Amino acid sequence: MKINNQYLSDLYARVEKRNAGEKEFLQAVGEVLESLVPVVEKRPEYITSGVIERIVEPERFVQFRVAWVDDNNRVQVNRGFRCQFNSAIGPYKGGLRFHPSVTASVIKFLGFEQIFKNSLTGLPMGGGKGGSDFDPKGKSDMEIMRFCQSFMTELYRHIGPDTDVPAGDIGVGAREIGYLFGQYKRIRNEFTGVLTGKGLDYGGSLARKQATGYGLCYFVNNMLAAKNDSFAGKTVAISGAGNVAIYAAEKAQQLGAKVVTMSDSNGYIYDPNGIKLDVVIQIKEVERGRISEYAKRVPGSIYTEGAGVWSVPCDIALPCATQNELNGEDAKTLVKNGVKYVAEGANMPSTPEAIEVFLANNVFFGPAKAANAGGVATSGLEMTQNSMRLSWTFEEVDQKLERIMKNIFESARNAAREYVNNEDNLVAGANIAGFLKVADSMIAQGVY
Ligand code: NDP
């Protein structure tokens, strides 16, 4: 990692030493520090206050054993995590991920990104993230419930509506949030907005399920408008077939685009006639099946095993699956095939090499921190509704979401214009705009 500033480069070397082998976390820190070069050159108080040294170190990181009993009466042991990264501007806020690839490094990278993302939303939320290496795939409902109850039996002591408010992420949807919430309520004897993404019958917000995917498309709409362009008639490639991917596809279609791909960890589908979302929703949300089923049900569509979704020509690419799913070679293929806009629905889906390719080829690139912040923003709106003990209509929440995404786009663009003299560099813009508010708050609150 090459950072063109001695202070930041030395700091990165220390972070690297202290977090040896944590490649996802180091990748996320490296990208932010690189963006801060023009900031520390212009504003030396960020060096003298030691705020950047502090921002790269989590305020608290808990790891715990999660023991549970499977359907065969065997004891299983998983590892649970919660990273409370930064509380300068509000209670810790960020999702829980249940996936076998979850490690301390993955949770720290996600928690670190969350600090800046939450700051960009303009809502009072600090950064946090958690999860487990538990794999929900193939587990029965009762196994999921027993796991969630065991997980919460430890987690409850670390969270609370004014302390830390977790939500969903990969492998954690409405079902898991329900079991987690139920256990928290039983242990604490309190009905509070301690989790977001709850069911609509017990404090959830309308439009939360759609929020990350819809927000992503609202963000892209701002990118398009800045180029006097629109979604109408565009071909869109989407990866993933989970919560973010499905609702990104729905909104892109509503805005007049044709979505031609979706994927899961086994392979991808290509439907030249445009993806039929009702079929995807039936397979993924109802049957919890594999995306390969789609090709068996929709004539004219093709399923291809393995990675390769980025080989499909498109105008707009929306990676919505997982980190580092789009590498430098994929980016070159997308550019060769004429992609004009890329925006990240997943967290850190593009490798640093891929981002370099996009920026060097004038592809307008929307980084995750900004482009997928609609989910957490709507979680923030869920917290507000819970505190006020009321619920807004779908339209009210959706309108607020659209406005928040516009504000995020403008904040990133303004910071990019001011600090790197290139309003299209939203990577730098999002990192800088997110950083300034948190750093200034930390300085105001004294050394901690
Ligand atoms: P889901 O669990 O609903 O869906 C994840 C999708 O990505 C599934 O289709 C899954 O396929 C696929 N996937 C997961 N791992 C891989 C992999 N290694 N290779 C290929 N495909 C993979 O999760 P979400 O949609 O909620 O999350 C997707 C991304 O969006 C994550 O990066 C998450 O952090 C980010 N995000 C989510 C938010 C939210 O509100 N949910 C908010 C902001 C960001 P399979 O079924 O085979 O595992």
Side-chain angles (χ1 to χ4, degrees):
M1 169 109 263
K2 171 122 190 51
I3 300 173
N4 284 327
N5 173 283
Q6 196 59 49
Y7 167 76
L8 291 170
S9 162
D10 291 348
L11 172 56
Y12 182 75
R14 290 201 298 281
V15 175
E16 210 172 15
K17 196 165 167 205
R18 185 178 259 174
N19 302 279
E22 298 193 344
K23 70 179 173 49
E24 295 87 359
F25 177 53
L26 293 171
Q27 183 181 334
V29 172
E31 186 202 287
V32 170
L33 294 190
E34 219 178 342
S35 296
L36 294 183
V37 171
V39 179
V40 296
E41 282 168 359
K42 209 167 172 176
R43 313 260 303 262
E45 69 267 27
Y46 292 128
I47 299 181
T48 49
S49 61
V51 74
I52 309 178
E53 276 94 333
R54 290 186 273 144
I55 227 167
V56 296
E57 187 64 25
E59 289 174 14
R60 191 173 298 112
F61 184 89
V62 287
Q63 182 184 313
F64 48 96
R65 182 176 69 209
V66 188
W68 56 283
V69 180
D70 70 16
D71 286 347
N72 298 316
N73 279 328
R74 271 200 301 265
V75 173
Q76 301 284 347
V77 177
N78 286 99
R79 198 168 258 190
F81 303 95
R82 187 71 186 165
C83 179
Q84 299 181 328
F85 222 119
N86 194 297
S87 63
I89 61 168
Y92 310 104
K93 179 92 196 89
L96 296 170
R97 177 177 292 190
F98 292 169
H99 193 273
S101 64
V102 165
T103 59
S105 168
V106 168
I107 297 301
K108 278 163 66 179
F109 120 65
L110 290 164
F112 183 70
E113 294 275 296
Q114 201 81 43
I115 304 170
F116 308 100
K117 181 188 309 195
N118 293 2
S119 163
L120 280 169
T121 66
L123 300 174
M125 299 182 291
K129 199 82 188 189
S132 172
D133 59 1
F134 172 73
D135 186 359
K137 266 196 220 109
K139 302 288 190 302
S140 71
D141 255 10
M142 288 300 101
E143 288 178 321
I144 300 279
M145 183 188 76
R146 288 194 292 272
F147 174 80
C148 288
Q149 289 178 338
S150 180
F151 184 85
M152 185 54 84
T153 301
E154 170 61 29
L155 186 68
Y156 87 93
R157 69 190 80 243
H158 307 290
I159 63 175
D162 296 318
T163 309
D164 182 357
V165 183
D169 190 77
I170 291 180
V172 178
R175 172 181 60 169
E176 291 74 19
I177 292 290
Y179 294 144
L180 292 164
F181 181 78
Q183 185 71 351
Y184 181 89
K185 185 166 63 73
R186 268 189 295 278
I187 296 174
R188 290 270 194 185
N189 195 26
E190 275 175 15
F191 192 111
T192 56
V194 68
L195 290 159
T196 57
K198 298 184 289 298
L200 295 176
D201 292 333
Y202 60 94
S205 174
L206 284 159
R208 174 60 189 91
K209 183 170 75 168
Q210 292 82 357
T212 309
Y214 277 24
L216 173 66
C217 289
Y218 293 146
F219 190 85
V220 175
N221 229 359
N222 282 283
M223 294 168 67
L224 287 157
K227 304 286 170 193
N228 292 320
D229 207 346
S230 80
F231 262 109
K234 295 281 187 305
T235 299
V236 179
I238 293 183
S239 64
N243 175 257
V244 179
I246 287 175
Y247 294 97
E250 183 171 277
K251 185 50 76 180
Q253 290 179 347
Q254 286 172 9
L255 294 170
K258 181 155 89 170
V259 178
V260 292
T261 66
M262 292 189 86
S263 68
D264 61 20
S265 47
N266 295 102
Y268 71 96
I269 47 165
Y270 170 59
D271 188 340
N273 300 314
I275 297 284
K276 294 186 180 36
L277 265 185
D278 53 336
V279 178
V280 175
I281 288 172
Q282 174 66 26
I283 295 168
K284 300 304 284 189
E285 285 191 353
V286 182
E287 300 168 18
R288 296 181 189 275
R290 310 309 300 159
I291 202 69
S292 54
E293 271 298 309
Y294 183 94
K296 296 179 194 153
R297 299 183 196 180
V298 179
S301 66
I302 301 164
Y303 172 71
T304 308
E305 192 77 19
V309 63
W310 307 122
S311 64
V312 175
C314 61
D315 306 304
I316 301 173
L318 305 176
C320 295
T322 194
Q323 66 269 10
N324 293 327
E325 53 157 313
L326 195 167
N327 62 27
E329 287 309 308
D330 297 324
K332 283 182 195 156
T333 308
L334 281 164
V335 168
K336 185 161 67 67
N337 288 336
V339 76
K340 298 277 182 314
Y341 304 89
V342 176
E344 299 183 317
N347 282 311
M348 207 168 74
S350 315
T351 63
E353 297 74 30
I355 296 175
E356 237 170 73
V357 172
F358 292 139
L359 298 186
N361 287 279
N362 282 325
V363 173
F364 201 6
F365 179 75
K369 275 182 203 86
N372 75 20
V376 73
T378 308
S379 277
L381 301 178
E382 183 172 331
M383 289 165 72
T384 307
Q385 293 170 80
N386 291 164
S387 302
M388 296 165 80
R389 304 209 188 280
L390 52 72
S391 51
W392 293 321
T393 64
F394 189 97
E395 289 69 29
E396 280 175 293
V397 179
D398 194 34
Q399 274 166 16
K400 289 183 203 301
L401 170 64
E402 196 168 355
R403 203 163 47 239
I404 289 170
M405 297 316 294
K406 188 173 173 49
N407 290 343
I408 294 174
F409 177 76
E410 281 168 3
S411 308
R413 206 156 159 83
N414 291 341
R417 197 179 299 122
E418 182 179 344
Y419 283 93
V420 295
N421 208 18
N422 172 6
E423 61 184 9
D424 284 352
N425 187 342
L426 300 178
V427 174
N431 285 335
I432 294 168
F435 166 81
L436 292 174
K437 185 171 153 191
V438 176
D440 291 342
S441 303
M442 288 175 76
I443 293 171
Q445 291 170 30
V447 174
Y448 70 98

